Amino acid sequence: MATDEQNLSEARNQWQLSEEADRHNREAAIEDLRFSALSQQWKESAKAQREKEGRPALTINQIEPIIQQIVNECRKNKPSIKFHPVDDGADQQTAEIYNGLVRTIQNGSNADIAYDTAVEHSVRCGTGYWVVDIRESDDDSWDKDAAIRTITNPFAIYRDPHSVETDGSDWNFAFITDRIAKKQFERKWKGAEPVDWDSAGYGDIKEPWVETDELLIAEWWTRDEVYKTIVQLSDGTIIDKQLYIENKRIFDAIQMSVTRERQVKSYRVRQRIITGAEILEENDFPGKYIPIVPVVGKEIWVDGKRWTRGVTRDLIDSQQSYNVARSQTMEVLLQAPKTPYIGPVGAFNTDRQKWRTINRNAYPNVEYDVIPGAPNGGMPMRQEYAGPPAGLIQEAMQASSDIKTVSGRYNASLGDQREDIQQQSGRAILALQASGDSSVFNYTDNVTRAIRHTGRILLGVIPHVYSGERIIRIIGNNPKESQVVNLGKPITLPSGEQKIIDLSVGKYDLTVEAGPNYATKRDEAAQQMLKLIEMYPAAAPIISPFMVRNLDWHDSDEIAQALKALLPPQVQGANPQLQMAQQQIQQLNMQLQQAKQAVTALKMDKQIEGDDLRIKAYSAETDRLKVQQEAMSPQDIIALVHQTLRDLLTTPSPNPGNPQQFAAPPGIVPGTVPNDSINTNLSPISHMVSTGA
């Protein structure tokens, strides 16, 4: 295992490699940032010489509106991260929790500030950054939260010069430098030696980075190849073994066990806080990426060297040309003669004081001395002002046009309201605006790539940070909608199924959706609906509920619901034909029930009719026996009764249509009663017949 001195030696080597490989970009980026943001657009020597000679050195920053327009376009169309389940262990509901949790992380850490700062740096000077961080959740718990950290100084980042991916996903080392007050340093790391980290890289760009009461420290990030153990659970889910061990109680509760395990190649990301003398802290970071996300403006490789730049770099010459032309024009104006009246000597003797102040005061009349023999008596003549030279004005206009041409942002894109623009058709203006947007689309697209990589980093961070039993709040697509989820405990799904939300189970992938955020979409939708109502007032009752819902009013949802209740069923979402069909089905069901009741009644009537027939048959047979009894002996009667009863007990199922067939008594199945049993049961009858009873 490497010692601290060995690690510090490796850190110095990596620092020097990064600083030397990227020095040309850093020096140019500082110049770009000063030129565009601070309007330091004159060389110091030229400006000092002009000021010494009393000549103007104007700075009219024409590239600032272009930069702000590109930055604001990226702000309006900020991409959003969306997770999707991949394997059988993942599900859509957990993916939605991931999505809501990312929105909560972004909202809680003011990620929009981090994004906007990085985008502005990428447009101005070539590269901006933000960092995915892990911080303490509260001061009264041991919970941690993921966060997006703003990097206000892009020159504090030193990246891996061997990387080739624009989003930084292949970085194997990086540095984040920071100046800290010595008193704060001593409080946080008691006993540590306050030695600056190597500040040579800062000295080369001529900045007073190290002050007497501050010292420089660095976050040294490394990513090393390691082997880790993964396990497959009884339901087929594959996860990191360490995650399984940390959440074993949860897996035991849902009866999931390990079926097999194996080693795979992975990465170990580590953060070390270092000074020039020692390692102050050392922390492992979850996932397989260094959590520093670059946002690049333009990137190109020439002769094996990376060059990055923003909008400013190509506009410097045109902007300086414009400043010189405007300064020359001002210089000519300052040198213009201050005597607009010319006359012979002595003509101004009368009202001398008025003539001296005539350029400042509006006198109703001014007298002059008449000179005999002079034309018009020597009356002073007003001299016309010739104005600045036309060549200087033309040069300024050409420089301004060059700025627009190089940036690809023409008058229509810049919102110019001049007459020549107003005379163009709406379609032509839109075409010019689209052309301008396409010329700088690479900035918006690079932001999308950076946020996609941020999602990949969060995908590795979230299962480690939000694990075990914990209550978290997640934000929905609508900022007004949020819910509380209890991780590690069963919840009831809409289907009634019980499920434990475990963010460490299953594989998820992500996509990035570019477009306006929710608030912008709502505002835009409301404005478009209002325009539609103005064009077609008859649609107002139908559109109003939807428009009100998109307005940022108090109780706007309730107002929209009340307006919707006044709409016809077709607009409310109900289908009149479907409702009519449903009513017809209900009527048919009622008729079917009535028919069933009628069939049951008919069956009962048939049963009664059959019983009547059987009774009549028994009565007819009894009457016949009575007639036969008068002409038969007792032995013949007994034999006849025996035979009749045997016939009754062995006759098949009754046929109401044939009264000659008889049914067995209730509970007796014909053909199943043995003859011996019949004889035994008929003995009492035989006795009654023989005795005349």
Side-chain angles (χ1 to χ4, degrees):
M1 185 174 182
T3 63
D4 283 0
E5 184 56 38
Q6 290 173 329
N7 284 327
L8 286 173
S9 177
E10 182 182 1
R12 293 188 190 99
N13 292 334
Q14 292 180 355
W15 168 279
Q16 185 177 3
L17 182 65
S18 176
E19 194 277 327
E20 291 178 354
D22 213 33
R23 183 182 302 174
H24 60 287
N25 285 322
R26 301 172 70 81
E27 292 175 350
I30 288 178
E31 181 183 349
D32 292 346
L33 194 59
R34 288 173 173 166
F35 190 93
S36 63
L38 302 182
S39 296
Q40 297 178 3
Q41 299 179 355
W42 288 84
K43 291 184 178 181
E44 294 182 5
S45 58
K47 187 173 184 180
Q49 182 67 26
R50 279 181 165 268
E51 290 177 349
K52 182 179 178 180
E53 297 173 357
R55 302 170 61 192
L58 302 182
T59 300
I60 303 174
N61 195 342
Q62 287 213 321
I63 66 176
E64 181 64 18
I66 295 174
I67 290 174
Q68 287 302 321
Q69 197 171 53
I70 298 172
V71 171
N72 292 334
E73 190 68 25
C74 293
R75 287 186 177 187
K76 287 194 303 181
N77 296 280
K78 197 168 294 177
S80 58
I81 302 168
K82 189 173 182 62
F83 292 96
H84 309 279
V86 174
D87 63 1
D88 294 338
D91 59 79
Q92 186 59 41
Q93 184 178 14
T94 306
E96 290 299 330
I97 292 178
Y98 264 100
N99 295 332
L101 191 53
V102 168
R103 287 188 286 267
T104 301
I105 292 169
Q106 293 174 332
N107 182 71
S109 58
N110 295 323
D112 56 334
I113 297 177
Y115 296 158
D116 295 344
T117 303
V119 169
E120 183 154 358
H121 285 147
S122 72
V123 176
R124 288 188 182 276
C125 58
T127 310
Y129 303 89
W130 63 72
V131 177
V132 179
D133 203 358
I134 298 176
R135 65 188 184 188
E136 301 293 334
S137 178
D138 299 298
D139 57 2
D140 58 353
S141 71
W142 282 267
D143 293 335
K144 295 182 180 295
D145 283 326
I148 308 297
R149 194 204 323 170
T150 303
I151 298 296
T152 56
N153 177 19
F155 307 106
I157 306 294
Y158 289 79
R159 57 190 171 191
D160 183 355
H162 299 301
S163 67
V164 295
E165 297 294 339
T166 304
D167 58 9
S169 57
D170 60 344
W171 286 11
N172 289 321
F173 70 85
F175 294 86
I176 306 177
T177 54
D178 189 21
R179 288 184 296 175
I180 184 172
K182 289 185 178 179
K183 291 183 179 180
Q184 183 182 354
F185 176 86
E186 293 170 355
R187 285 195 304 267
K188 189 170 184 178
W189 294 288
K190 295 181 179 179
E193 189 176 354
V195 177
D196 281 300
W197 176 247
D198 184 4
S199 58
Y202 288 85
D204 289 344
I205 55 178
K206 300 178 182 179
E207 281 290 342
W209 295 105
V210 182
E211 303 292 345
T212 55
D213 61 340
E214 293 182 337
L215 58 91
L216 192 69
I217 62 174
E219 291 181 43
W220 177 32
W221 289 88
T222 58
R223 184 178 78 150
D224 302 310
E225 288 186 0
V226 296
Y227 283 88
K228 68 175 184 178
T229 303
I230 59 173
V231 296
Q232 184 175 30
L233 304 181
S234 52
D235 67 340
T237 302
I238 300 175
I239 63 171
D240 191 299
K241 185 177 182 179
Q242 187 60 34
L243 276 178
Y244 173 78
I245 294 174
E246 293 174 358
N247 299 277
K248 189 174 185 303
R249 187 166 60 86
I250 297 176
F251 289 113
D252 290 342
I254 57 178
Q255 298 180 349
M256 292 177 63
S257 58
V258 175
T259 58
R260 57 179 178 172
E261 63 180 59
R262 73 183 182 95
Q263 282 192 331
V264 296
K265 187 174 74 172
S266 183
Y267 293 95
R268 182 181 185 182
V269 179
R270 186 174 294 180
Q271 174 207 45
R272 298 178 181 91
I273 310 297
I274 60 177
T275 66
E278 59 188 309
I279 297 177
L280 304 175
E281 288 184 19
E282 189 168 353
N283 306 297
D284 286 336
F285 189 84
K288 57 182 180 180
Y289 302 105
I290 291 177
I292 304 173
V293 182
V295 183
V296 179
K298 297 178 182 178
E299 181 180 76
I300 188 170
W301 289 77
V302 180
D303 295 333
K305 181 181 289 188
R306 175 193 285 114
W307 294 82
T308 57
R309 57 174 53 198
V311 170
T312 308
R313 190 78 49 84
D314 294 329
L315 299 179
I316 290 178
D317 290 344
S318 299
Q319 177 64 53
Q320 288 179 333
S321 176
Y322 183 82
N323 290 338
V324 170
R326 297 296 293 153
S327 298
Q328 288 292 106
T329 302
M330 180 59 65
E331 186 175 356
V332 171
L333 293 176
L334 292 174
Q335 293 174 352
K338 302 296 188 299
T339 56
Y341 287 91
I342 297 178
V345 177
F348 301 98
N349 290 335
T350 305
D351 286 345
R352 184 181 299 272
Q353 183 62 29
K354 287 185 178 180
W355 282 111
R356 290 177 178 176
T357 58
I358 196 171
N359 62 328
R360 298 194 301 270
N361 300 322
Y363 297 113
N365 55 74
V366 180
E367 297 179 353
Y368 68 96
D369 287 339
V370 177
I371 306 298
N376 295 326
M379 183 179 66
M381 302 297 294
R382 187 177 184 90
Q383 302 300 305
E384 296 294 334
Y385 173 62
L392 291 177
I393 297 177
Q394 182 64 33
E395 177 61 29
M397 294 176 61
Q398 183 60 48
S400 179
S401 177
D402 290 342
I403 291 174
K404 296 171 185 176
T405 301
V406 173
S407 66
R409 309 295 285 180
Y410 299 97
N411 293 331
S413 299
L414 296 172
D416 196 337
Q417 297 298 317
R418 292 181 307 170
E419 184 178 353
D420 59 334
I421 296 296
Q422 294 177 354
Q423 290 176 354
Q424 296 185 23
S425 67
R427 179 171 295 183
I429 293 175
L430 290 175
L432 290 173
Q433 291 175 343
S435 176
D437 293 341
S438 298
S439 66
V440 295
F441 179 73
N442 56 294
Y443 294 97
T444 303
D445 194 42
N446 286 342
V447 175
T448 302
R449 295 174 182 175
I451 290 184
R452 182 186 297 113
H453 183 48
T454 303
R456 288 195 292 260
I457 296 173
L458 289 172
L459 197 57
V461 170
I462 287 175
H464 290 265
V465 175
Y466 302 93
S467 60
E469 293 185 5
R470 181 176 176 183
I471 297 176
I472 59 174
R473 183 178 72 92
I474 61 175
I475 299 176
N477 285 320
N478 184 344
K480 296 180 180 179
E481 299 174 356
S482 62
Q483 59 176 318
V484 176
V485 176
N486 196 344
L487 297 178
K489 290 195 174 181
I491 63 171
T492 302
L493 301 179
S495 61
E497 176 188 356
Q498 291 287 321
K499 177 179 176 60
I500 294 179
I501 298 298
D502 186 357
L503 301 179
S504 64
V505 176
K507 290 184 179 180
Y508 295 87
D509 198 0
L510 62 97
T511 56
V512 174
E513 298 178 352
N517 55 30
Y518 185 82
T520 305
K521 288 180 180 177
R522 288 199 311 162
D523 295 341
E524 183 179 2
Q527 292 299 323
Q528 295 296 332
M529 291 179 189
L530 185 59
K531 290 181 180 179
L532 181 58
I533 290 176
E534 292 175 354
M535 292 183 351
Y536 186 53
I542 299 174
I543 298 175
S544 296
F546 304 98
M547 184 181 68
V548 170
R549 181 175 296 168
N550 285 282
L551 295 174
D552 195 14
W553 291 351
H554 181 64
D555 295 333
S556 60
D557 290 340
E558 289 76 6
I559 297 174
Q561 193 66 26
L563 290 173
K564 186 177 180 180
L566 302 176
L567 297 178
Q570 296 92 330
V571 182
Q572 294 188 37
N575 189 334
Q577 296 180 351
L578 180 60
Q579 290 181 339
M580 185 179 299
Q582 291 174 344
Q583 293 175 357
Q584 292 177 354
I585 291 173
Q586 291 178 354
Q587 293 176 358
L588 290 174
N589 285 333
M590 293 178 60
Q591 294 176 3
L592 180 60
Q593 292 296 328
Q594 294 175 355
K596 288 182 178 179
Q597 294 175 359
V599 170
T600 302
L602 288 174
K603 287 182 178 180
M604 293 180 63
D605 292 341
K606 290 292 183 180
Q607 184 176 358
I608 294 172
E609 181 180 352
D611 292 341
D612 290 341
L613 291 175
R614 285 193 291 273
I615 291 171
K616 291 179 180 180
Y618 280 115
S619 299
E621 184 63 21
T622 302
D623 293 340
R624 187 179 64 80
L625 291 175
K626 286 182 179 180
V627 173
Q628 289 182 352
Q629 183 182 4
E630 296 176 355
M632 295 173 64
S633 62
Q635 290 75 14
D636 294 335
I637 293 174
I638 291 173
L640 180 60
V641 170
H642 284 196
Q643 184 60 41
T644 301
L645 291 176
R646 285 192 182 92
D647 292 340
L648 290 173
L649 294 174
T650 58
T651 300
S653 299
N655 183 2
N658 185 2
Q660 300 301 321
Q661 295 184 3
F662 306 105
I668 302 297
V669 179
T672 61
V673 182
N675 289 331
D676 294 341
S677 176
I678 295 175
N679 293 334
T680 302
N681 292 315
L682 290 180
S683 297
I685 299 176
S686 302
H687 175 70
M688 293 171 62
V689 173
S690 61
T691 58

